[in-house]
Amino acid sequence: MNILVTGGTGYIGSHTCIALLESGHSVIIADNLSNSKSESIKKIIDISKKEVTFFEIDVTDEEAVDHIFRNHEIDGVIHFAGLKAVGESVEKPLEYYYNNVVSTMVLTKACQTYGVNRFVFSSSATVYGDNTVPFVETMSLLPTTNPYGETKAMSERILTDFANVNPSFSVSLLRYFNPVGAHESGLIGESPNGIPNNLMPYVTQVAKGKLHNLRVFGNDYPTIDGTGIRDYIHVLDLAEGHVAALENQTEGVHVYNLGTGKGTSVLELVKAFEEANDIEVPFEIVDRRPGDIASCYAETSKAKRELGWSAKRDIVTMCRDAWRFEKNNME
Ligand code: WQD
């Protein structure tokens, strides 16, 4: 199939493009490079040994999106493009709502105009809010603690309502837990602009000496060691989950958790990283980060049952692959 991947030069997008190409699909990437670099295109080609088509556009630009659909036979869309920094979304709500929600509407409208009936959406476990773990797809969503999470919940609603009145339209809403790690080649991985918000890139930069020490945001949560628990999933497992969703898609709306089902605390992750890579990661305990929840991990049986997909890579592999990329990344 010929797949339009928005945000395809980004962290999860680039890994998914490689998985798509290795599964025999062809890929058109649309990305505005606001949080990624065009070098990703060459790396995707080098790793997959396949060609890709690239458009440097903003997917909120209706005319630019229409140009792609008008000039290419598109069989499906995977929509990654979006702003994704939780803290930043609190500071810049309008930018987040505009970028993340309008892009979903522009793409859905283009699918309607050009008869494209397969849509995979990059959603997030954030939409569950502070629910009871493990999070299950059938749960009622609670208000999230930030505009970023609300843009994901709104986009899910838009796609659901559209699919409900367009019977041939199929949409998979993929709720990611915490993507970490990198392609085993060490050529692509997570290199956020500026100081990382997320735990794993912060840990790898401390290990490299680029950052002084890790601040652990609170050790007074009701968890095994007081620190926050998350469901870390290898980005290659996540990428393979997208291919499985795309290839198994039937009409209607399908919601899937993409997680491992295993919770890991901050201190457990730090210990796993140190042991996997035989390196020290100095840290200090500081106050909780506003908006954080204590525990977040997936109930994973639905994706296994319906897509035949489950995460295969363990936390040691995630730590090793993340570290290999950091060492290779000269930024
Ligand atoms: C993980 C744990 C922190 C940094 C967010 C988004 C989610 C998704 C992934 C986009 C928490 C602790 C972190 C640090 C720390 N993003 N931590 N020191 O907040 O679970 O999820 O990123 O889709 O939507 O909400 O990820 O990596 O920021 O935090 O102690 O310097 O690590 O408190 O317990 P989070 P995270």
Side-chain angles (χ1 to χ4, degrees):
M1 290 185 277
N2 196 28
I3 306 299
L4 171 62
V5 181
T6 75
T9 59
Y11 172 44
I12 302 169
S14 56
H15 285 86
T16 302
C17 285
I18 290 167
L20 286 165
L21 292 162
E22 289 177 344
S23 300
H25 301 290
S26 50
V27 163
I28 299 171
I29 294 174
D31 201 305
N32 67 2
L33 302 179
S34 64
N35 191 26
S36 57
K37 298 175 182 60
S38 57
E39 286 84 346
S40 294
I41 300 293
K42 183 178 178 317
K43 292 177 181 175
I44 291 168
I45 294 170
D46 289 349
I47 293 171
S48 66
K49 310 273 185 283
K50 302 275 179 66
E51 284 306 314
V52 297
T53 306
F54 173 54
F55 290 94
E56 184 179 349
I57 63 147
D58 189 314
V59 288
T60 60
D61 178 342
E62 272 199 80
E63 177 44 42
V65 168
D66 195 73
H67 174 83
I68 297 175
F69 278 78
R70 206 167 46 242
N71 294 289
H72 294 270
E73 195 60 42
I74 292 170
D75 301 304
V77 174
I78 302 184
H79 180 31
F80 290 106
L83 300 173
K84 63 166 190 171
V86 168
E88 185 187 53
S89 77
V90 175
E91 307 303 319
K92 302 177 179 173
L94 199 54
E95 201 174 329
Y96 271 70
Y97 284 115
Y98 188 86
N99 190 78
N100 292 7
V101 180
V102 170
S103 60
T104 301
M105 289 195 276
V106 166
L107 287 161
T108 308
K109 190 169 169 223
C111 286
Q112 181 178 42
T113 306
Y114 291 92
V116 176
N117 287 316
R118 285 172 192 265
F119 198 107
V120 176
F121 176 64
S122 159
S123 191
S124 167
T126 311
V127 301
Y128 287 108
D130 199 359
N131 243 300
T132 316
V133 283
F135 294 164
V136 188
E137 291 90 346
T138 49
M139 266 175 171
S140 304
L141 305 185
L142 297 178
T144 69
T145 56
N146 55 83
Y148 161 77
E150 289 307 299
T151 69
K152 291 299 182 181
M154 283 179 189
S155 291
E156 287 197 4
R157 171 51 56 215
I158 289 163
L159 288 162
T160 300
D161 290 347
F162 178 79
N164 288 343
V165 290
N166 290 276
S168 55
F169 190 71
S170 68
V171 59
S172 294
L173 306 174
L174 304 184
R175 293 173 179 170
Y176 310 161
F177 284 73
N178 286 62
V180 294
H183 190 268
E184 61 269 11
S185 65
L187 292 175
I188 57 171
E190 186 174 17
S191 56
N193 296 338
I195 304 284
N197 291 300
N198 293 136
L199 179 62
M200 184 64 97
Y202 206 105
V203 165
T204 58
Q205 290 191 22
V206 168
K208 194 175 173 182
K210 203 170 165 185
L211 293 170
H212 175 51
N213 73 341
L214 171 70
R215 295 162 305 154
V216 174
F217 296 139
N219 67 347
D220 58 351
Y221 285 103
T223 62
I224 185 169
D225 58 19
T227 63
I229 287 180
R230 296 293 184 272
D231 184 334
Y232 297 97
I233 175 171
H234 198 294
V235 65
L236 288 176
D237 278 327
L238 198 61
E240 290 160 13
H242 285 74
V243 178
L246 196 72
E247 293 180 345
N248 291 279
Q249 220 157 333
T250 54
E251 287 74 20
V253 184
H254 310 280
V255 185
Y256 297 108
N257 286 336
L258 295 190
T260 67
K262 186 182 177 323
T264 302
S265 77
V266 177
L267 294 181
E268 286 171 334
L269 185 96
V270 170
K271 186 165 181 292
F273 185 90
E274 290 181 323
E275 289 175 359
N277 299 305
D278 191 20
I279 194 161
E280 281 268 303
V281 178
F283 66 84
E284 57 174 326
I285 306 290
V286 300
D287 291 339
R288 291 183 178 191
R289 179 173 65 177
D292 274 354
I293 60 177
S295 289
C296 167
Y297 55 89
E299 202 286 331
T300 58
S301 60
K302 186 179 180 191
K304 175 90 179 131
R305 185 176 64 250
E306 295 189 10
L307 303 179
W309 172 89
S310 59
K312 299 195 294 286
R313 296 159 178 93
D314 63 9
I315 201 83
V316 174
T317 305
M318 294 178 216
C319 291
R320 287 218 175 105
D321 291 348
W323 180 228
R324 184 183 306 110
F325 172 73
E326 185 64 61
K327 285 187 289 183
N328 293 353
N329 189 18
M330 301 321 285
E331 283 166 22

